[in-house]
Amino acid sequence: KRVAILISGSGSNMVRLVESMTGNHPARPVLVASNDPSATGLQKAAGLGIATAAVDHRRFPHDRAGFEAELLKPLLDARPDILCLAGFMRVLTPEFVAKFTGRMLNIHPSLLPQYPGLDTHARAIAAGDSEAGATVHEVTPELDSGPILGQVRVPILPGDTEQTLAAKVLEQEHRLYPAVLRRFAEGDRRLLML
Ligand code: GRF
């Protein structure tokens, strides 16, 4: 299986996904693309020998479709079987998502369906939750709402801040995403609870 990964920043999830696709793994990374040409994850991908592409979304103010049309050029050239969003911070149009129905994954730093959207850790702490976590789900046109493929839970301790919690969750994301991607690439859609 050919896997393309979309990032917006550091790409720490992308690095773990790329590093997991070796040996008898059924998938291989074919492209890492970003909406930000300065995303440090692009240098990391290049260092790992993966082809990269970048389309600056700021070139397309008020033109989401124009940005996506540009992004689709290198993306479709890579002929991906699976598209992984990993720290990708742009909302994609239903038309874009429709091109990858059933083969597009995202990782979200909350225990969906709780806390779709942004600032998930601050919201969990403010709500007095005893745990947080991360979710890998199939991407559908509605934001952060597709079928859940895997989750991992992290305790929220007294004194945890948004930063300390984010760091703990991110560490668990790095375990969850590769595990879900491997199953997904093997055609296994069973829910994975780490
Ligand atoms: C992190 O906040 C992570 O929780 C979310 O995307 C952000 C950056 O991740 N999935 P990455 O280091 O770019 O993978």
Side-chain angles (χ1 to χ4, degrees), residues 73-107:
K73 290 174 185 170
L75 192 52
L76 295 179
D77 280 352
R79 293 182 289 108
D81 301 301
I82 298 171
L83 180 54
C84 290
L85 307 183
F88 188 67
M89 302 304 280
R90 304 299 298 170
V91 173
L92 294 162
T93 64
E95 292 73 24
F96 182 100
V97 173
K99 294 181 186 301
F100 300 95
T101 301
R103 57 197 187 100
M104 186 160 155
L105 306 181
N106 180 44
I107 189 159

PDB file of all heavy atoms in Angstrom, residues 73-107:
ATOM      1  N   LYS A  73      -2.209  18.117  -6.964  1.00  0.00           N
ATOM      2  CA  LYS A  73      -1.301  17.767  -8.066  1.00  0.00           C
ATOM      3  C   LYS A  73      -0.212  16.798  -7.604  1.00  0.00           C
ATOM      4  O   LYS A  73      -0.165  15.650  -8.065  1.00  0.00           O
ATOM      5  CB  LYS A  73      -0.707  19.039  -8.687  1.00  0.00           C
ATOM      6  CG  LYS A  73      -1.738  19.862  -9.457  1.00  0.00           C
ATOM      7  CD  LYS A  73      -1.157  21.192  -9.944  1.00  0.00           C
ATOM      8  CE  LYS A  73      -2.215  22.071 -10.598  1.00  0.00           C
ATOM      9  NZ  LYS A  73      -1.714  23.453 -10.858  1.00  0.00           N
ATOM     10  N   PRO A  74       0.665  17.191  -6.662  1.00  0.00           N
ATOM     11  CA  PRO A  74       1.684  16.219  -6.213  1.00  0.00           C
ATOM     12  C   PRO A  74       1.067  15.024  -5.495  1.00  0.00           C
ATOM     13  O   PRO A  74       1.568  13.902  -5.558  1.00  0.00           O
ATOM     14  CB  PRO A  74       2.558  17.046  -5.253  1.00  0.00           C
ATOM     15  CG  PRO A  74       1.693  18.176  -4.801  1.00  0.00           C
ATOM     16  CD  PRO A  74       0.787  18.487  -5.944  1.00  0.00           C
ATOM     17  N   LEU A  75      -0.059  15.261  -4.844  1.00  0.00           N
ATOM     18  CA  LEU A  75      -0.692  14.184  -4.067  1.00  0.00           C
ATOM     19  C   LEU A  75      -1.180  13.071  -4.995  1.00  0.00           C
ATOM     20  O   LEU A  75      -0.857  11.894  -4.781  1.00  0.00           O
ATOM     21  CB  LEU A  75      -1.849  14.781  -3.259  1.00  0.00           C
ATOM     22  CG  LEU A  75      -2.472  13.925  -2.169  1.00  0.00           C
ATOM     23  CD1 LEU A  75      -1.422  13.381  -1.218  1.00  0.00           C
ATOM     24  CD2 LEU A  75      -3.496  14.753  -1.379  1.00  0.00           C
ATOM     25  N   LEU A  76      -1.886  13.414  -6.039  1.00  0.00           N
ATOM     26  CA  LEU A  76      -2.389  12.384  -6.958  1.00  0.00           C
ATOM     27  C   LEU A  76      -1.247  11.794  -7.790  1.00  0.00           C
ATOM     28  O   LEU A  76      -1.255  10.619  -8.123  1.00  0.00           O
ATOM     29  CB  LEU A  76      -3.491  12.960  -7.839  1.00  0.00           C
ATOM     30  CG  LEU A  76      -4.759  13.385  -7.073  1.00  0.00           C
ATOM     31  CD1 LEU A  76      -5.800  13.974  -8.011  1.00  0.00           C
ATOM     32  CD2 LEU A  76      -5.336  12.219  -6.278  1.00  0.00           C
ATOM     33  N   ASP A  77      -0.210  12.616  -8.059  1.00  0.00           N
ATOM     34  CA  ASP A  77       0.963  12.065  -8.771  1.00  0.00           C
ATOM     35  C   ASP A  77       1.603  10.916  -7.988  1.00  0.00           C
ATOM     36  O   ASP A  77       2.160   9.995  -8.557  1.00  0.00           O
ATOM     37  CB  ASP A  77       2.031  13.162  -8.966  1.00  0.00           C
ATOM     38  CG  ASP A  77       1.696  14.079 -10.144  1.00  0.00           C
ATOM     39  OD1 ASP A  77       0.730  13.767 -10.881  1.00  0.00           O
ATOM     40  OD2 ASP A  77       2.383  15.106 -10.315  1.00  0.00           O
ATOM     41  N   ALA A  78       1.501  10.991  -6.651  1.00  0.00           N
ATOM     42  CA  ALA A  78       2.108   9.959  -5.792  1.00  0.00           C
ATOM     43  C   ALA A  78       1.263   8.687  -5.760  1.00  0.00           C
ATOM     44  O   ALA A  78       1.671   7.683  -5.164  1.00  0.00           O
ATOM     45  CB  ALA A  78       2.287  10.509  -4.382  1.00  0.00           C
ATOM     46  N   ARG A  79       0.092   8.717  -6.322  1.00  0.00           N
ATOM     47  CA  ARG A  79      -0.813   7.555  -6.406  1.00  0.00           C
ATOM     48  C   ARG A  79      -0.981   6.880  -5.039  1.00  0.00           C
ATOM     49  O   ARG A  79      -0.733   5.690  -4.889  1.00  0.00           O
ATOM     50  CB  ARG A  79      -0.291   6.542  -7.425  1.00  0.00           C
ATOM     51  CG  ARG A  79      -0.332   7.065  -8.865  1.00  0.00           C
ATOM     52  CD  ARG A  79       0.157   6.007  -9.847  1.00  0.00           C
ATOM     53  NE  ARG A  79       1.598   5.790  -9.746  1.00  0.00           N
ATOM     54  CZ  ARG A  79       2.162   4.687  -9.224  1.00  0.00           C
ATOM     55  NH1 ARG A  79       1.392   3.711  -8.754  1.00  0.00           N
ATOM     56  NH2 ARG A  79       3.495   4.577  -9.147  1.00  0.00           N
ATOM     57  N   PRO A  80      -1.383   7.653  -3.996  1.00  0.00           N
ATOM     58  CA  PRO A  80      -1.535   7.023  -2.665  1.00  0.00           C
ATOM     59  C   PRO A  80      -2.749   6.111  -2.610  1.00  0.00           C
ATOM     60  O   PRO A  80      -3.799   6.422  -3.164  1.00  0.00           O
ATOM     61  CB  PRO A  80      -1.700   8.213  -1.726  1.00  0.00           C
ATOM     62  CG  PRO A  80      -2.331   9.267  -2.570  1.00  0.00           C
ATOM     63  CD  PRO A  80      -1.760   9.088  -3.947  1.00  0.00           C
ATOM     64  N   ASP A  81      -2.603   5.010  -1.859  1.00  0.00           N
ATOM     65  CA  ASP A  81      -3.759   4.153  -1.549  1.00  0.00           C
ATOM     66  C   ASP A  81      -4.419   4.631  -0.261  1.00  0.00           C
ATOM     67  O   ASP A  81      -5.612   4.463  -0.048  1.00  0.00           O
ATOM     68  CB  ASP A  81      -3.280   2.702  -1.353  1.00  0.00           C
ATOM     69  CG  ASP A  81      -2.591   2.165  -2.595  1.00  0.00           C
ATOM     70  OD1 ASP A  81      -3.244   2.127  -3.656  1.00  0.00           O
ATOM     71  OD2 ASP A  81      -1.389   1.852  -2.530  1.00  0.00           O
ATOM     72  N   ILE A  82      -3.586   5.220   0.607  1.00  0.00           N
ATOM     73  CA  ILE A  82      -4.049   5.697   1.916  1.00  0.00           C
ATOM     74  C   ILE A  82      -3.483   7.093   2.144  1.00  0.00           C
ATOM     75  O   ILE A  82      -2.321   7.361   1.825  1.00  0.00           O
ATOM     76  CB  ILE A  82      -3.565   4.758   3.044  1.00  0.00           C
ATOM     77  CG1 ILE A  82      -4.137   3.344   2.858  1.00  0.00           C
ATOM     78  CG2 ILE A  82      -3.949   5.299   4.423  1.00  0.00           C
ATOM     79  CD1 ILE A  82      -3.530   2.300   3.800  1.00  0.00           C
ATOM     80  N   LEU A  83      -4.309   7.984   2.699  1.00  0.00           N
ATOM     81  CA  LEU A  83      -3.875   9.344   3.018  1.00  0.00           C
ATOM     82  C   LEU A  83      -3.982   9.529   4.534  1.00  0.00           C
ATOM     83  O   LEU A  83      -5.061   9.314   5.103  1.00  0.00           O
ATOM     84  CB  LEU A  83      -4.755  10.359   2.290  1.00  0.00           C
ATOM     85  CG  LEU A  83      -4.464  11.841   2.494  1.00  0.00           C
ATOM     86  CD1 LEU A  83      -3.012  12.175   2.185  1.00  0.00           C
ATOM     87  CD2 LEU A  83      -5.390  12.685   1.625  1.00  0.00           C
ATOM     88  N   CYS A  84      -2.857   9.864   5.174  1.00  0.00           N
ATOM     89  CA  CYS A  84      -2.859  10.092   6.621  1.00  0.00           C
ATOM     90  C   CYS A  84      -2.682  11.579   6.915  1.00  0.00           C
ATOM     91  O   CYS A  84      -1.688  12.178   6.508  1.00  0.00           O
ATOM     92  CB  CYS A  84      -1.708   9.335   7.277  1.00  0.00           C
ATOM     93  SG  CYS A  84      -1.932   7.551   7.289  1.00  0.00           S
ATOM     94  N   LEU A  85      -3.623  12.145   7.662  1.00  0.00           N
ATOM     95  CA  LEU A  85      -3.453  13.512   8.172  1.00  0.00           C
ATOM     96  C   LEU A  85      -2.745  13.384   9.515  1.00  0.00           C
ATOM     97  O   LEU A  85      -3.190  12.620  10.389  1.00  0.00           O
ATOM     98  CB  LEU A  85      -4.797  14.204   8.351  1.00  0.00           C
ATOM     99  CG  LEU A  85      -5.736  14.214   7.131  1.00  0.00           C
ATOM    100  CD1 LEU A  85      -6.997  15.006   7.454  1.00  0.00           C
ATOM    101  CD2 LEU A  85      -5.047  14.779   5.904  1.00  0.00           C
ATOM    102  N   ALA A  86      -1.643  14.097   9.682  1.00  0.00           N
ATOM    103  CA  ALA A  86      -0.865  13.972  10.923  1.00  0.00           C
ATOM    104  C   ALA A  86      -0.435  15.360  11.367  1.00  0.00           C
ATOM    105  O   ALA A  86       0.552  15.908  10.882  1.00  0.00           O
ATOM    106  CB  ALA A  86       0.345  13.080  10.687  1.00  0.00           C
ATOM    107  N   GLY A  87      -1.195  15.938  12.250  1.00  0.00           N
ATOM    108  CA  GLY A  87      -0.917  17.310  12.650  1.00  0.00           C
ATOM    109  C   GLY A  87      -1.209  18.276  11.508  1.00  0.00           C
ATOM    110  O   GLY A  87      -0.583  19.307  11.365  1.00  0.00           O
ATOM    111  N   PHE A  88      -2.164  17.900  10.675  1.00  0.00           N
ATOM    112  CA  PHE A  88      -2.548  18.750   9.546  1.00  0.00           C
ATOM    113  C   PHE A  88      -3.635  19.692  10.029  1.00  0.00           C
ATOM    114  O   PHE A  88      -4.658  19.241  10.547  1.00  0.00           O
ATOM    115  CB  PHE A  88      -3.051  17.903   8.375  1.00  0.00           C
ATOM    116  CG  PHE A  88      -3.285  18.685   7.105  1.00  0.00           C
ATOM    117  CD1 PHE A  88      -2.214  19.247   6.425  1.00  0.00           C
ATOM    118  CD2 PHE A  88      -4.576  18.881   6.613  1.00  0.00           C
ATOM    119  CE1 PHE A  88      -2.411  19.970   5.253  1.00  0.00           C
ATOM    120  CE2 PHE A  88      -4.786  19.602   5.444  1.00  0.00           C
ATOM    121  CZ  PHE A  88      -3.699  20.150   4.760  1.00  0.00           C
ATOM    122  N   MET A  89      -3.392  21.008   9.875  1.00  0.00           N
ATOM    123  CA  MET A  89      -4.248  21.969  10.553  1.00  0.00           C
ATOM    124  C   MET A  89      -5.195  22.734   9.633  1.00  0.00           C
ATOM    125  O   MET A  89      -5.646  23.823   9.970  1.00  0.00           O
ATOM    126  CB  MET A  89      -3.378  22.965  11.340  1.00  0.00           C
ATOM    127  CG  MET A  89      -2.480  22.302  12.365  1.00  0.00           C
ATOM    128  SD  MET A  89      -3.393  21.292  13.530  1.00  0.00           S
ATOM    129  CE  MET A  89      -4.003  22.545  14.622  1.00  0.00           C
ATOM    130  N   ARG A  90      -5.444  22.214   8.451  1.00  0.00           N
ATOM    131  CA  ARG A  90      -6.392  22.873   7.547  1.00  0.00           C
ATOM    132  C   ARG A  90      -7.658  22.033   7.445  1.00  0.00           C
ATOM    133  O   ARG A  90      -7.586  20.799   7.335  1.00  0.00           O
ATOM    134  CB  ARG A  90      -5.789  23.063   6.154  1.00  0.00           C
ATOM    135  CG  ARG A  90      -4.486  23.829   6.135  1.00  0.00           C
ATOM    136  CD  ARG A  90      -4.602  25.216   6.674  1.00  0.00           C
ATOM    137  NE  ARG A  90      -5.516  26.060   5.883  1.00  0.00           N
ATOM    138  CZ  ARG A  90      -5.924  27.260   6.287  1.00  0.00           C
ATOM    139  NH1 ARG A  90      -5.546  27.726   7.458  1.00  0.00           N
ATOM    140  NH2 ARG A  90      -6.743  27.956   5.542  1.00  0.00           N
ATOM    141  N   VAL A  91      -8.810  22.685   7.449  1.00  0.00           N
ATOM    142  CA  VAL A  91     -10.076  21.979   7.203  1.00  0.00           C
ATOM    143  C   VAL A  91     -10.176  21.713   5.706  1.00  0.00           C
ATOM    144  O   VAL A  91      -9.910  22.605   4.890  1.00  0.00           O
ATOM    145  CB  VAL A  91     -11.272  22.830   7.674  1.00  0.00           C
ATOM    146  CG1 VAL A  91     -12.574  22.176   7.259  1.00  0.00           C
ATOM    147  CG2 VAL A  91     -11.218  23.011   9.192  1.00  0.00           C
ATOM    148  N   LEU A  92     -10.501  20.478   5.350  1.00  0.00           N
ATOM    149  CA  LEU A  92     -10.573  20.079   3.937  1.00  0.00           C
ATOM    150  C   LEU A  92     -12.038  20.088   3.487  1.00  0.00           C
ATOM    151  O   LEU A  92     -12.936  19.753   4.259  1.00  0.00           O
ATOM    152  CB  LEU A  92      -9.966  18.687   3.771  1.00  0.00           C
ATOM    153  CG  LEU A  92      -8.454  18.629   4.052  1.00  0.00           C
ATOM    154  CD1 LEU A  92      -8.011  17.192   4.293  1.00  0.00           C
ATOM    155  CD2 LEU A  92      -7.667  19.256   2.907  1.00  0.00           C
ATOM    156  N   THR A  93     -12.262  20.462   2.246  1.00  0.00           N
ATOM    157  CA  THR A  93     -13.645  20.532   1.749  1.00  0.00           C
ATOM    158  C   THR A  93     -14.205  19.126   1.550  1.00  0.00           C
ATOM    159  O   THR A  93     -13.443  18.173   1.371  1.00  0.00           O
ATOM    160  CB  THR A  93     -13.698  21.250   0.374  1.00  0.00           C
ATOM    161  OG1 THR A  93     -12.965  20.454  -0.566  1.00  0.00           O
ATOM    162  CG2 THR A  93     -13.120  22.647   0.461  1.00  0.00           C
ATOM    163  N   PRO A  94     -15.510  18.989   1.572  1.00  0.00           N
ATOM    164  CA  PRO A  94     -16.121  17.671   1.299  1.00  0.00           C
ATOM    165  C   PRO A  94     -15.698  17.111  -0.057  1.00  0.00           C
ATOM    166  O   PRO A  94     -15.546  15.905  -0.215  1.00  0.00           O
ATOM    167  CB  PRO A  94     -17.617  17.980   1.334  1.00  0.00           C
ATOM    168  CG  PRO A  94     -17.742  19.184   2.208  1.00  0.00           C
ATOM    169  CD  PRO A  94     -16.507  20.006   1.941  1.00  0.00           C
ATOM    170  N   GLU A  95     -15.453  17.991  -1.034  1.00  0.00           N
ATOM    171  CA  GLU A  95     -15.046  17.538  -2.372  1.00  0.00           C
ATOM    172  C   GLU A  95     -13.664  16.871  -2.302  1.00  0.00           C
ATOM    173  O   GLU A  95     -13.446  15.832  -2.928  1.00  0.00           O
ATOM    174  CB  GLU A  95     -15.001  18.727  -3.354  1.00  0.00           C
ATOM    175  CG  GLU A  95     -16.373  19.316  -3.676  1.00  0.00           C
ATOM    176  CD  GLU A  95     -16.970  20.132  -2.525  1.00  0.00           C
ATOM    177  OE1 GLU A  95     -16.176  20.625  -1.670  1.00  0.00           O
ATOM    178  OE2 GLU A  95     -18.225  20.219  -2.448  1.00  0.00           O
ATOM    179  N   PHE A  96     -12.763  17.462  -1.515  1.00  0.00           N
ATOM    180  CA  PHE A  96     -11.429  16.862  -1.373  1.00  0.00           C
ATOM    181  C   PHE A  96     -11.552  15.522  -0.657  1.00  0.00           C
ATOM    182  O   PHE A  96     -11.027  14.500  -1.109  1.00  0.00           O
ATOM    183  CB  PHE A  96     -10.521  17.805  -0.578  1.00  0.00           C
ATOM    184  CG  PHE A  96      -9.097  17.322  -0.415  1.00  0.00           C
ATOM    185  CD1 PHE A  96      -8.081  17.815  -1.212  1.00  0.00           C
ATOM    186  CD2 PHE A  96      -8.778  16.367   0.544  1.00  0.00           C
ATOM    187  CE1 PHE A  96      -6.775  17.381  -1.061  1.00  0.00           C
ATOM    188  CE2 PHE A  96      -7.480  15.909   0.700  1.00  0.00           C
ATOM    189  CZ  PHE A  96      -6.475  16.421  -0.115  1.00  0.00           C
ATOM    190  N   VAL A  97     -12.298  15.539   0.459  1.00  0.00           N
ATOM    191  CA  VAL A  97     -12.448  14.310   1.265  1.00  0.00           C
ATOM    192  C   VAL A  97     -13.064  13.195   0.428  1.00  0.00           C
ATOM    193  O   VAL A  97     -12.658  12.032   0.497  1.00  0.00           O
ATOM    194  CB  VAL A  97     -13.309  14.603   2.519  1.00  0.00           C
ATOM    195  CG1 VAL A  97     -13.628  13.326   3.276  1.00  0.00           C
ATOM    196  CG2 VAL A  97     -12.582  15.602   3.424  1.00  0.00           C
ATOM    197  N   ALA A  98     -14.004  13.573  -0.432  1.00  0.00           N
ATOM    198  CA  ALA A  98     -14.702  12.567  -1.258  1.00  0.00           C
ATOM    199  C   ALA A  98     -13.741  11.808  -2.163  1.00  0.00           C
ATOM    200  O   ALA A  98     -13.989  10.644  -2.513  1.00  0.00           O
ATOM    201  CB  ALA A  98     -15.785  13.244  -2.090  1.00  0.00           C
ATOM    202  N   LYS A  99     -12.587  12.435  -2.499  1.00  0.00           N
ATOM    203  CA  LYS A  99     -11.623  11.745  -3.367  1.00  0.00           C
ATOM    204  C   LYS A  99     -10.906  10.616  -2.631  1.00  0.00           C
ATOM    205  O   LYS A  99     -10.244   9.780  -3.234  1.00  0.00           O
ATOM    206  CB  LYS A  99     -10.591  12.744  -3.902  1.00  0.00           C
ATOM    207  CG  LYS A  99     -11.191  13.797  -4.839  1.00  0.00           C
ATOM    208  CD  LYS A  99     -10.111  14.749  -5.349  1.00  0.00           C
ATOM    209  CE  LYS A  99     -10.708  15.877  -6.158  1.00  0.00           C
ATOM    210  NZ  LYS A  99     -11.484  15.410  -7.333  1.00  0.00           N
ATOM    211  N   PHE A 100     -11.003  10.619  -1.305  1.00  0.00           N
ATOM    212  CA  PHE A 100     -10.265   9.621  -0.508  1.00  0.00           C
ATOM    213  C   PHE A 100     -11.191   8.867   0.451  1.00  0.00           C
ATOM    214  O   PHE A 100     -10.746   8.350   1.471  1.00  0.00           O
ATOM    215  CB  PHE A 100      -9.137  10.297   0.272  1.00  0.00           C
ATOM    216  CG  PHE A 100      -8.128  10.984  -0.614  1.00  0.00           C
ATOM    217  CD1 PHE A 100      -8.244  12.341  -0.888  1.00  0.00           C
ATOM    218  CD2 PHE A 100      -7.095  10.273  -1.212  1.00  0.00           C
ATOM    219  CE1 PHE A 100      -7.333  12.989  -1.717  1.00  0.00           C
ATOM    220  CE2 PHE A 100      -6.171  10.901  -2.033  1.00  0.00           C
ATOM    221  CZ  PHE A 100      -6.297  12.265  -2.301  1.00  0.00           C
ATOM    222  N   THR A 101     -12.474   8.826   0.102  1.00  0.00           N
ATOM    223  CA  THR A 101     -13.446   8.163   0.990  1.00  0.00           C
ATOM    224  C   THR A 101     -12.995   6.741   1.336  1.00  0.00           C
ATOM    225  O   THR A 101     -12.595   5.985   0.465  1.00  0.00           O
ATOM    226  CB  THR A 101     -14.819   8.105   0.301  1.00  0.00           C
ATOM    227  OG1 THR A 101     -15.230   9.447   0.010  1.00  0.00           O
ATOM    228  CG2 THR A 101     -15.848   7.435   1.194  1.00  0.00           C
ATOM    229  N   GLY A 102     -13.035   6.428   2.633  1.00  0.00           N
ATOM    230  CA  GLY A 102     -12.706   5.065   3.058  1.00  0.00           C
ATOM    231  C   GLY A 102     -11.223   4.778   3.108  1.00  0.00           C
ATOM    232  O   GLY A 102     -10.809   3.680   3.467  1.00  0.00           O
ATOM    233  N   ARG A 103     -10.390   5.759   2.750  1.00  0.00           N
ATOM    234  CA  ARG A 103      -8.929   5.523   2.764  1.00  0.00           C
ATOM    235  C   ARG A 103      -8.172   6.752   3.245  1.00  0.00           C
ATOM    236  O   ARG A 103      -7.034   7.003   2.841  1.00  0.00           O
ATOM    237  CB  ARG A 103      -8.456   5.081   1.387  1.00  0.00           C
ATOM    238  CG  ARG A 103      -8.777   6.039   0.268  1.00  0.00           C
ATOM    239  CD  ARG A 103      -8.653   5.324  -1.073  1.00  0.00           C
ATOM    240  NE  ARG A 103      -8.801   6.279  -2.174  1.00  0.00           N
ATOM    241  CZ  ARG A 103      -7.769   6.787  -2.855  1.00  0.00           C
ATOM    242  NH1 ARG A 103      -6.548   6.418  -2.563  1.00  0.00           N
ATOM    243  NH2 ARG A 103      -7.972   7.662  -3.826  1.00  0.00           N
ATOM    244  N   MET A 104      -8.794   7.499   4.174  1.00  0.00           N
ATOM    245  CA  MET A 104      -8.176   8.716   4.703  1.00  0.00           C
ATOM    246  C   MET A 104      -8.314   8.710   6.221  1.00  0.00           C
ATOM    247  O   MET A 104      -9.425   8.553   6.744  1.00  0.00           O
ATOM    248  CB  MET A 104      -8.873   9.933   4.128  1.00  0.00           C
ATOM    249  CG  MET A 104      -8.259  11.257   4.463  1.00  0.00           C
ATOM    250  SD  MET A 104      -8.864  12.431   3.233  1.00  0.00           S
ATOM    251  CE  MET A 104      -8.729  13.943   4.080  1.00  0.00           C
ATOM    252  N   LEU A 105      -7.163   8.837   6.922  1.00  0.00           N
ATOM    253  CA  LEU A 105      -7.152   8.777   8.386  1.00  0.00           C
ATOM    254  C   LEU A 105      -6.687  10.094   8.958  1.00  0.00           C
ATOM    255  O   LEU A 105      -5.940  10.836   8.326  1.00  0.00           O
ATOM    256  CB  LEU A 105      -6.191   7.672   8.856  1.00  0.00           C
ATOM    257  CG  LEU A 105      -6.389   6.261   8.299  1.00  0.00           C
ATOM    258  CD1 LEU A 105      -5.357   5.324   8.908  1.00  0.00           C
ATOM    259  CD2 LEU A 105      -7.799   5.769   8.569  1.00  0.00           C
ATOM    260  N   ASN A 106      -7.108  10.344  10.208  1.00  0.00           N
ATOM    261  CA  ASN A 106      -6.640  11.521  10.934  1.00  0.00           C
ATOM    262  C   ASN A 106      -6.420  11.136  12.384  1.00  0.00           C
ATOM    263  O   ASN A 106      -7.080  10.234  12.906  1.00  0.00           O
ATOM    264  CB  ASN A 106      -7.675  12.646  10.858  1.00  0.00           C
ATOM    265  CG  ASN A 106      -7.230  13.901  11.602  1.00  0.00           C
ATOM    266  OD1 ASN A 106      -6.087  14.325  11.496  1.00  0.00           O
ATOM    267  ND2 ASN A 106      -8.139  14.472  12.388  1.00  0.00           N
ATOM    268  N   ILE A 107      -5.466  11.833  13.015  1.00  0.00           N
ATOM    269  CA  ILE A 107      -5.307  11.657  14.463  1.00  0.00           C
ATOM    270  C   ILE A 107      -5.704  12.964  15.139  1.00  0.00           C
ATOM    271  O   ILE A 107      -5.340  14.045  14.678  1.00  0.00           O
ATOM    272  CB  ILE A 107      -3.874  11.235  14.853  1.00  0.00           C
ATOM    273  CG1 ILE A 107      -3.842  10.862  16.344  1.00  0.00           C
ATOM    274  CG2 ILE A 107      -2.820  12.292  14.508  1.00  0.00           C
ATOM    275  CD1 ILE A 107      -2.676   9.986  16.738  1.00  0.00           C
TER     276      ILE A 107
END
